Amino acid sequence: VHVVESGGGSAQAGGSLRLSCAASGSTYGEYCLGWFRQRPGKEREGVAHITANGKKIYADSVKGRFTVSEDSAKTTLILQMDSLKPEDTAMYYCVGQWPCLPYTDYVGPEDEYNFWGRGTQVTVSS
């Protein structure tokens, strides 16, 4: 699975940004998509994930502010980011996982994702 992010940029605190991820080239059957981010000086962390049965899982730090969605063909993944905070400043990565692991209420660790995009920068100013 090849994933490419777009839509990063700058926003003021309280504002919104929308990230997109184009997924293609799957010969692996069903896969799952999600988003990670790496804040300055921090390790990469899971932000959102959509399970094989469509359940959406979010990191506690973004619950209620970010919304993840995908089309039925799993070729486009969207991360709508609202009520942005300066601490959301990070490089955001679209990620793919095959096979899909049975997460219930958490985004898995980065080593459980096989496919990574190059990332798109999001900067939120106060």
Side-chain angles (χ1 to χ4, degrees), residues 3-115:
V3 291
V4 179
E5 309 91 343
S6 61
S10 299
Q12 296 270 337
S16 299
L17 284 172
R18 182 180 173 96
L19 304 184
S20 295
C21 172
S24 62
S26 173
T27 59
Y28 296 88
E30 184 171 54
Y31 56 88
C32 286
L33 297 171
W35 291 95
F36 268 67
R37 70 183 180 185
Q38 187 165 23
R39 294 184 278 185
K42 304 284 188 180
E43 296 185 352
R44 284 193 291 199
E45 59 180 346
V47 173
H49 175 95
I50 303 181
T51 69
N53 61 7
K55 180 177 181 179
K56 299 173 183 180
I57 301 172
Y58 299 94
D60 287 344
S61 58
V62 306
K63 280 181 183 175
R65 301 188 298 118
F66 289 13
T67 304
V68 65
S69 61
E70 65 183 5
D71 65 340
S72 58
K74 292 192 174 184
T75 57
T76 303
L77 183 73
I78 300 293
L79 185 68
Q80 178 66 40
M81 305 185 293
D82 299 317
S83 302
L84 284 164
K85 302 176 180 180
E87 52 262 44
D88 294 319
T89 294
M91 185 70 77
Y92 284 74
Y93 298 90
C94 180
V95 296
Q97 181 184 77
W98 177 87
C100 294
L101 297 178
Y103 302 145
T104 55
D105 58 3
Y106 65 91
V107 181
E110 60 177 290
D111 61 0
E112 292 184 353
Y113 290 86
N114 323 75
F115 310 102

